[in-house]
Amino acid sequence: MASTVDQLIDNSIEDPARRAPLVTGGLDYAGVTDVVSQVAESPKPPRIWYILLGISLLLLAMLGANIGHLIFTGVGVWGNRSPVFWGWPIVNFVFWVGIGHAGTLISAILFLFRQNWRTSINRAAEAMTIFAVVCALLFPGIHIGRVWAAYWLFPIPTEHLAMWPNFRSPLLWDVFAVSTYGTVSALFWFMGMVPDIATFRDRAKDPVRRFVYGLLSLGWTGSARAWHRYEVAYVILAALATPLVLSVHTIVSFDFAVSMLPGWHTTIFPPYFVAGAIFSGFAMVVTLLVPARELFGLKHLITIRHLENMNKVIVATGTMVGFAYGIEFFIAWYGGNANEGETFLNRAFGEYYWAYWTMVSCNVIAPQFFWFKKIRTNPWLMVIVCIFVNIGMWFERFVITVTSLARDFIPSSWGYFSPTPVDVMMLIGSFGLFFTLFLLFCRFLPVVAISEVKAVMPTGEHGEGESH
Amino acid sequence: MAHRPSPTRTEPQVKFVGYLAEFDDPHRLVAACDQVRQAGYRQIDAHTPFPVHGIDPALGIRRTRLPFIVLAVGLGALAVGILLQWYANATDDIRPFPGYKFLISGKPTWSLPANIPVAFEITVLFSAFATFFGMWGLNKLPQFSNPLFRIPRFKRATSDRFFLMISADDPIFDATQTRQQLERFGALNVERVDHDQSDAELPRFLKPLAWCLASIAILIPTAVYRSQAMTNEAPRLHFNPDMDWQDKSKPQTVSPALAGAEGSTLFADGRVMRPDVPGTVALGELRLSDPLFRGYEQGTAVEPGATDEEGNPLEPEWVTAFPSDVDDAGDPVLEVNEAMMARGQRQYGIYCAPCHGYAGYGDGLVSRRGLDLTVQGLAAWNQAKSLHDPMVVDQAVGKIFDTISNGRNTMGPYRSQITVEDRWAIVLYVKALQATQERTAAATAPAN
């Protein structure tokens, strides 16, 4: 039988002589199955789950009402005015897409690098990715103004219109990148879930659950031949998703970088956006998983070591982002372009100085606390830092989008952006959408990749270490 | 079951599928797989809660061809992605769905670097589809009916137990011997798997239900198709007014209802445009001179549509020389000179050349495209007349002036676009154009 090390062990201690176990609490195979399944099987979720779901649904309803208002009235209900035509909707879009990067990064890139610790967190991170992409797609979808013509974004042949999308426009690349990313992430997520849903099916007592999980698990029997093709497919999807995940935020950054606006037209944008996306995505994963593991009793699967590893990624990417801010300033000066220089001075010391310095303190200073092991391994402290990171990353997109647009080349058309209540309600409402989806996911689907965790558990008899 | 003949009618329709051996440890399973294979069995499979490493060689599983499928689909998608962009943005003449070739900042319509992102995304998207659907297809999933699901013990195959299955179809399978072998290889437990074929039978109500659903599903496209083929008098559904209807006055329309006052319109006569005050003429609209403003001798106007006894349309007496009217200050309105000629050339290039061509042969771009479309059956276009047609060459200047002002046959009027002076200038230029070309005997020199 599979066995694990003593349950009192602190697996965040670095001991080069021995690999730290990824599952604690003395769980064996059946134990892992039980721990994950009880989340979905317990007759009643914790009370706090209902409270959170209630709040999220309220926010979701608010979002829905605002979208209805927007569609029937027009985009004028937002604060988007000349000269800032890309207000909060685009800020929110980039913010959510960025968050949606952690999941695929964890499931694909860490998989290719054989980082076994990913198995406990990848499922939840992938789910989070998909829900974030849903929130992200919402904003450009309604930002086009005439929502009923949204299908014009896609290359659909029409006899009478004789019009096609402009394939040379970064905004169109964006449509392709984000929708491909959403689709591939969803396939990846679902495929990973099938064996675990089969576990749910086989444990289900009541016929409705058996039917629904039976349908979703596609008749999976865990056949060795099926597993063989499944694993090959998993590697291929991971290999496809890896360049994809890097391409998505690169292309999102092209929306800005390909234009000629000072503060946007820089070649550092793609790597800088990708680092920022990973940064914010990991911060969101930590923010979600710390409460989730408390709530659903998953502490032995999502251990402190897992969280600590993510925090290390956060401090690394946070530092890269800080470095990128520095380089931007340096190039603005070194490049000798007066407009560029002025734009950056204005960012830091102009009308929007408050946004700039919020961004710098949240994104550059906050993650530095993770150099301290105490903070890095304390669940609640790390959540606080991560929330700051998320606030900072929203401000980063705000600073980039708004400060450059508010002041372009002609001083006579400079302006100042102020959001409307609809802007604010939509941003808050998008969190309602996100959390509603995430809470439902936690309750009804396998939160941890059961079969993947089992595959990296030590198999007792044959000694220490990995099973393969 | 209709399609599989059973040996005897009375026997329950149960088929012996094979033996299922249970193990509690992946290593024991792999060892057993090895032994079973060495014993010569080939129709074997294992069922495990997670992929067990080392089991592929033990079971003799060959590498899947999935990667090649994905490669082929991926390359295909790349080609399609590039072609799609070329088709959509670099062509505009492929029917029935013409592309949309348009110029942006003078950049080439087809430039590969700008097309890389979309080509890449399409490649990844379709490769992912190929991986996902290919994997399920090769695994023959989804398949919801499986005799294994009837075995209570098998439920642990997705949790913590490891199973080895030997199919009864295997050539060396033997009901008693195989069982003993499996027990010898360390199975906790060996179970007989039967396939109750009535299991796979669909519920009886499904067939009529499927028919009902299918007929309903056909109704909608049929209705859509029908309404497409019919003309419909009812106004279109307009889900979002989108500022299409506004309370504002447009010329030539009925004056809109005033907000708040039901039924009342802005003006009592219901019109938006105001008629001139009786007995007055707006500044600059007196236009008494027939030669200058209408191209015929004073007072020779004819009723529109009037004909002589033989039914030929009556024409006024066209002026044959440029009118010599003077303005209020006593200066001539038209001075036939080089400046007027240059003006005429310029205005001709703007207003007439698109149809009649720069040399006046009726071969302007608009006319040529119109003829092209006519040949393809997509439009009905009359070629713009050649201005060197003897019939036009012989025309008096007044008549040409009238053609420009009021149009002729299928040519539209231009009096609202071109001022009187410019119209005369164009006439001058047309006459000059005609003079440059080969002249027929009847041609007259431009009156000058």
Side-chain angles (χ1 to χ4, degrees), chain B residues 40-77:
Chain B
Y41 292 98
R42 288 296 173 268
Q43 307 251 25
I44 46 180
D45 200 355
H47 297 271
T48 57
F50 56 84
V52 172
H53 288 265
I55 203 158
D56 294 357
L59 284 175
I61 297 176
R62 259 175 293 145
R63 242 192 114 65
T64 165
R65 45 183 210 282
L66 185 62
F68 297 100
I69 298 178
V70 177
L71 179 68
V73 173
L75 290 177

Short mmCIF file of all heavy atoms in Angstrom, two decimals, chain B residues 40-77:
data_model
loop_
_atom_site.label_atom_id
_atom_site.label_comp_id
_atom_site.label_asym_id
_atom_site.label_seq_id
_atom_site.Cartn_x
_atom_site.Cartn_y
_atom_site.Cartn_z
N GLY B 40 1.52 -15.83 -22.69
CA GLY B 40 1.06 -15.87 -24.06
C GLY B 40 -0.26 -15.13 -24.32
O GLY B 40 -0.74 -15.10 -25.43
N TYR B 41 -0.81 -14.52 -23.30
CA TYR B 41 -2.07 -13.79 -23.51
C TYR B 41 -1.79 -12.47 -24.22
O TYR B 41 -0.77 -11.82 -23.98
CB TYR B 41 -2.76 -13.50 -22.17
CG TYR B 41 -3.28 -14.74 -21.50
CD1 TYR B 41 -2.55 -15.37 -20.51
CD2 TYR B 41 -4.50 -15.28 -21.88
CE1 TYR B 41 -3.01 -16.52 -19.89
CE2 TYR B 41 -4.98 -16.43 -21.27
CZ TYR B 41 -4.24 -17.04 -20.28
OH TYR B 41 -4.70 -18.17 -19.68
N ARG B 42 -2.68 -12.12 -25.11
CA ARG B 42 -2.51 -10.83 -25.80
C ARG B 42 -3.70 -9.88 -25.57
O ARG B 42 -3.54 -8.69 -25.56
CB ARG B 42 -2.34 -11.06 -27.31
CG ARG B 42 -0.99 -11.67 -27.67
CD ARG B 42 0.17 -10.73 -27.33
NE ARG B 42 1.46 -11.38 -27.51
CZ ARG B 42 2.11 -12.02 -26.55
NH1 ARG B 42 1.59 -12.12 -25.34
NH2 ARG B 42 3.28 -12.59 -26.79
N GLN B 43 -4.88 -10.44 -25.41
CA GLN B 43 -6.07 -9.59 -25.24
C GLN B 43 -6.22 -9.23 -23.76
O GLN B 43 -7.12 -9.70 -23.08
CB GLN B 43 -7.32 -10.34 -25.69
CG GLN B 43 -7.19 -10.89 -27.07
CD GLN B 43 -8.07 -10.14 -28.03
OE1 GLN B 43 -8.41 -8.98 -27.79
NE2 GLN B 43 -8.45 -10.77 -29.11
N ILE B 44 -5.29 -8.41 -23.30
CA ILE B 44 -5.30 -8.08 -21.88
C ILE B 44 -5.30 -6.58 -21.70
O ILE B 44 -4.84 -5.83 -22.57
CB ILE B 44 -4.05 -8.67 -21.16
CG1 ILE B 44 -2.79 -8.39 -22.00
CG2 ILE B 44 -4.22 -10.15 -20.93
CD1 ILE B 44 -1.52 -8.92 -21.40
N ASP B 45 -5.83 -6.15 -20.59
CA ASP B 45 -5.81 -4.72 -20.28
C ASP B 45 -5.79 -4.57 -18.77
O ASP B 45 -6.19 -5.48 -18.04
CB ASP B 45 -7.06 -4.03 -20.86
CG ASP B 45 -6.85 -2.53 -21.00
OD1 ASP B 45 -5.77 -2.04 -20.55
OD2 ASP B 45 -7.72 -1.85 -21.54
N ALA B 46 -5.28 -3.43 -18.32
CA ALA B 46 -5.27 -3.16 -16.88
C ALA B 46 -6.15 -1.95 -16.63
O ALA B 46 -6.34 -1.11 -17.52
CB ALA B 46 -3.85 -2.90 -16.41
N HIS B 47 -6.68 -1.84 -15.44
CA HIS B 47 -7.49 -0.68 -15.07
C HIS B 47 -6.96 -0.16 -13.74
O HIS B 47 -6.93 -0.88 -12.76
CB HIS B 47 -8.96 -1.05 -14.94
CG HIS B 47 -9.53 -1.53 -16.24
ND1 HIS B 47 -10.09 -0.67 -17.15
CD2 HIS B 47 -9.59 -2.76 -16.78
CE1 HIS B 47 -10.49 -1.37 -18.20
NE2 HIS B 47 -10.19 -2.64 -18.02
N THR B 48 -6.51 1.09 -13.77
CA THR B 48 -5.83 1.62 -12.58
C THR B 48 -6.34 3.04 -12.28
O THR B 48 -6.81 3.73 -13.18
CB THR B 48 -4.32 1.71 -12.84
OG1 THR B 48 -4.11 2.53 -14.00
CG2 THR B 48 -3.70 0.35 -13.06
N PRO B 49 -6.24 3.47 -11.03
CA PRO B 49 -6.72 4.81 -10.68
C PRO B 49 -5.81 5.91 -11.21
O PRO B 49 -6.21 7.07 -11.24
CB PRO B 49 -6.75 4.80 -9.16
CG PRO B 49 -5.92 3.66 -8.72
CD PRO B 49 -5.84 2.70 -9.84
N PHE B 50 -4.60 5.58 -11.54
CA PHE B 50 -3.69 6.59 -12.10
C PHE B 50 -2.76 5.87 -13.06
O PHE B 50 -2.66 4.64 -13.01
CB PHE B 50 -2.92 7.32 -10.99
CG PHE B 50 -2.14 6.42 -10.09
CD1 PHE B 50 -0.86 6.00 -10.44
CD2 PHE B 50 -2.68 5.98 -8.89
CE1 PHE B 50 -0.14 5.17 -9.60
CE2 PHE B 50 -1.96 5.15 -8.05
CZ PHE B 50 -0.69 4.73 -8.40
N PRO B 51 -2.11 6.59 -13.94
CA PRO B 51 -1.24 5.91 -14.90
C PRO B 51 -0.09 5.24 -14.16
O PRO B 51 0.68 5.91 -13.48
CB PRO B 51 -0.74 7.04 -15.82
CG PRO B 51 -1.01 8.30 -15.08
CD PRO B 51 -2.16 8.04 -14.18
N VAL B 52 0.04 3.95 -14.26
CA VAL B 52 1.08 3.22 -13.56
C VAL B 52 2.28 3.10 -14.48
O VAL B 52 2.15 2.66 -15.62
CB VAL B 52 0.59 1.83 -13.15
CG1 VAL B 52 1.73 1.01 -12.60
CG2 VAL B 52 -0.52 1.95 -12.14
N HIS B 53 3.43 3.52 -13.99
CA HIS B 53 4.58 3.52 -14.89
C HIS B 53 5.14 2.13 -15.03
O HIS B 53 5.10 1.34 -14.10
CB HIS B 53 5.60 4.54 -14.41
CG HIS B 53 5.10 5.92 -14.67
ND1 HIS B 53 5.42 6.63 -15.79
CD2 HIS B 53 4.19 6.65 -13.99
CE1 HIS B 53 4.76 7.77 -15.77
NE2 HIS B 53 4.01 7.80 -14.69
N GLY B 54 5.58 1.83 -16.24
CA GLY B 54 6.12 0.51 -16.50
C GLY B 54 5.07 -0.47 -16.95
O GLY B 54 5.36 -1.62 -17.26
N ILE B 55 3.82 -0.02 -17.02
CA ILE B 55 2.78 -0.98 -17.38
C ILE B 55 2.68 -1.13 -18.90
O ILE B 55 2.24 -2.16 -19.40
CB ILE B 55 1.44 -0.57 -16.76
CG1 ILE B 55 0.55 -1.81 -16.64
CG2 ILE B 55 0.75 0.49 -17.58
CD1 ILE B 55 -0.52 -1.69 -15.64
N ASP B 56 3.11 -0.12 -19.64
CA ASP B 56 2.99 -0.19 -21.10
C ASP B 56 3.78 -1.36 -21.67
O ASP B 56 3.23 -2.18 -22.40
CB ASP B 56 3.41 1.13 -21.75
CG ASP B 56 2.46 2.25 -21.39
OD1 ASP B 56 1.47 1.96 -20.69
OD2 ASP B 56 2.70 3.39 -21.78
N PRO B 57 5.10 -1.49 -21.32
CA PRO B 57 5.83 -2.65 -21.83
C PRO B 57 5.27 -3.95 -21.26
O PRO B 57 5.19 -4.95 -21.97
CB PRO B 57 7.27 -2.43 -21.37
CG PRO B 57 7.20 -1.35 -20.33
CD PRO B 57 5.98 -0.56 -20.60
N ALA B 58 4.83 -3.92 -20.00
CA ALA B 58 4.33 -5.16 -19.39
C ALA B 58 3.11 -5.67 -20.15
O ALA B 58 2.91 -6.87 -20.30
CB ALA B 58 3.99 -4.92 -17.93
N LEU B 59 2.29 -4.75 -20.64
CA LEU B 59 1.09 -5.17 -21.37
C LEU B 59 1.34 -5.23 -22.87
O LEU B 59 0.47 -5.64 -23.63
CB LEU B 59 -0.05 -4.18 -21.11
CG LEU B 59 -0.75 -4.27 -19.75
CD1 LEU B 59 -1.75 -3.16 -19.63
CD2 LEU B 59 -1.43 -5.61 -19.59
N GLY B 60 2.51 -4.78 -23.29
CA GLY B 60 2.81 -4.75 -24.72
C GLY B 60 2.01 -3.69 -25.45
O GLY B 60 1.56 -3.90 -26.57
N ILE B 61 1.84 -2.52 -24.79
CA ILE B 61 1.10 -1.45 -25.46
C ILE B 61 2.06 -0.69 -26.37
O ILE B 61 3.12 -0.25 -25.93
CB ILE B 61 0.50 -0.47 -24.42
CG1 ILE B 61 -0.50 -1.22 -23.54
CG2 ILE B 61 -0.14 0.72 -25.10
CD1 ILE B 61 -1.07 -0.40 -22.43
N ARG B 62 1.67 -0.59 -27.63
CA ARG B 62 2.54 0.14 -28.55
C ARG B 62 2.26 1.63 -28.49
O ARG B 62 1.18 2.05 -28.11
CB ARG B 62 2.34 -0.38 -29.97
CG ARG B 62 3.45 -1.33 -30.37
CD ARG B 62 3.18 -1.92 -31.72
NE ARG B 62 2.01 -2.80 -31.65
CZ ARG B 62 1.12 -2.93 -32.63
NH1 ARG B 62 1.26 -2.27 -33.74
NH2 ARG B 62 0.09 -3.74 -32.50
N ARG B 63 3.24 2.41 -28.88
CA ARG B 63 3.06 3.87 -28.79
C ARG B 63 1.92 4.30 -29.69
O ARG B 63 1.77 3.85 -30.81
CB ARG B 63 4.35 4.57 -29.21
CG ARG B 63 4.95 5.38 -28.09
CD ARG B 63 6.04 6.30 -28.54
NE ARG B 63 5.64 7.71 -28.39
CZ ARG B 63 5.40 8.27 -27.23
NH1 ARG B 63 5.47 7.60 -26.11
NH2 ARG B 63 5.06 9.56 -27.17
N THR B 64 1.14 5.23 -29.18
CA THR B 64 -0.01 5.69 -29.94
C THR B 64 0.42 6.55 -31.12
O THR B 64 1.47 7.18 -31.10
CB THR B 64 -0.95 6.49 -29.03
OG1 THR B 64 -1.86 7.21 -29.86
CG2 THR B 64 -0.18 7.48 -28.17
N ARG B 65 -0.43 6.60 -32.16
CA ARG B 65 -0.07 7.45 -33.29
C ARG B 65 -0.67 8.85 -33.15
O ARG B 65 -0.66 9.63 -34.09
CB ARG B 65 -0.50 6.80 -34.61
CG ARG B 65 -1.88 6.22 -34.60
CD ARG B 65 -2.19 5.54 -35.92
NE ARG B 65 -3.60 5.62 -36.19
CZ ARG B 65 -4.53 4.86 -35.62
NH1 ARG B 65 -4.18 3.96 -34.75
NH2 ARG B 65 -5.80 5.01 -35.92
N LEU B 66 -1.18 9.14 -31.96
CA LEU B 66 -1.77 10.46 -31.72
C LEU B 66 -0.86 11.63 -32.14
O LEU B 66 -1.31 12.55 -32.80
CB LEU B 66 -2.18 10.58 -30.25
CG LEU B 66 -2.94 11.84 -29.86
CD1 LEU B 66 -4.25 11.93 -30.60
CD2 LEU B 66 -3.19 11.88 -28.36
N PRO B 67 0.46 11.58 -31.77
CA PRO B 67 1.30 12.73 -32.14
C PRO B 67 1.30 13.01 -33.64
O PRO B 67 1.33 14.16 -34.05
CB PRO B 67 2.69 12.31 -31.67
CG PRO B 67 2.44 11.34 -30.58
CD PRO B 67 1.19 10.63 -30.93
N PHE B 68 1.24 11.96 -34.45
CA PHE B 68 1.27 12.19 -35.90
C PHE B 68 -0.03 12.81 -36.38
O PHE B 68 -0.04 13.66 -37.27
CB PHE B 68 1.56 10.88 -36.64
CG PHE B 68 2.90 10.34 -36.28
CD1 PHE B 68 3.03 9.32 -35.35
CD2 PHE B 68 4.05 10.91 -36.81
CE1 PHE B 68 4.28 8.85 -34.99
CE2 PHE B 68 5.30 10.45 -36.45
CZ PHE B 68 5.42 9.42 -35.54
N ILE B 69 -1.13 12.39 -35.75
CA ILE B 69 -2.42 12.99 -36.11
C ILE B 69 -2.37 14.49 -35.80
O ILE B 69 -2.74 15.34 -36.60
CB ILE B 69 -3.56 12.32 -35.31
CG1 ILE B 69 -3.63 10.84 -35.66
CG2 ILE B 69 -4.87 13.02 -35.56
CD1 ILE B 69 -4.68 10.07 -34.89
N VAL B 70 -1.84 14.79 -34.60
CA VAL B 70 -1.79 16.20 -34.19
C VAL B 70 -0.88 16.99 -35.14
O VAL B 70 -1.21 18.10 -35.56
CB VAL B 70 -1.30 16.32 -32.74
CG1 VAL B 70 -1.17 17.77 -32.34
CG2 VAL B 70 -2.25 15.61 -31.80
N LEU B 71 0.25 16.38 -35.49
CA LEU B 71 1.18 17.08 -36.39
C LEU B 71 0.48 17.39 -37.71
O LEU B 71 0.54 18.52 -38.22
CB LEU B 71 2.41 16.21 -36.63
CG LEU B 71 3.45 16.84 -37.57
CD1 LEU B 71 4.08 18.05 -36.91
CD2 LEU B 71 4.50 15.84 -37.98
N ALA B 72 -0.22 16.39 -38.27
CA ALA B 72 -0.87 16.60 -39.56
C ALA B 72 -1.92 17.69 -39.45
O ALA B 72 -1.97 18.62 -40.28
CB ALA B 72 -1.50 15.29 -40.03
N VAL B 73 -2.74 17.60 -38.42
CA VAL B 73 -3.80 18.62 -38.27
C VAL B 73 -3.17 20.00 -38.05
O VAL B 73 -3.62 21.00 -38.61
CB VAL B 73 -4.75 18.25 -37.11
CG1 VAL B 73 -5.73 19.37 -36.83
CG2 VAL B 73 -5.48 16.97 -37.43
N GLY B 74 -2.11 20.03 -37.24
CA GLY B 74 -1.47 21.31 -36.95
C GLY B 74 -0.93 21.96 -38.22
O GLY B 74 -1.14 23.15 -38.46
N LEU B 75 -0.27 21.18 -39.05
CA LEU B 75 0.28 21.74 -40.30
C LEU B 75 -0.85 22.20 -41.20
O LEU B 75 -0.79 23.27 -41.82
CB LEU B 75 1.14 20.70 -41.01
CG LEU B 75 2.47 20.38 -40.31
CD1 LEU B 75 3.22 19.30 -41.06
CD2 LEU B 75 3.33 21.64 -40.20
N GLY B 76 -1.91 21.39 -41.25
CA GLY B 76 -3.08 21.79 -42.05
C GLY B 76 -3.64 23.11 -41.55
O GLY B 76 -3.94 24.01 -42.35
N ALA B 77 -3.76 23.23 -40.23
CA ALA B 77 -4.34 24.45 -39.66
C ALA B 77 -3.46 25.65 -39.97
O ALA B 77 -3.96 26.74 -40.24
CB ALA B 77 -4.52 24.28 -38.15
#
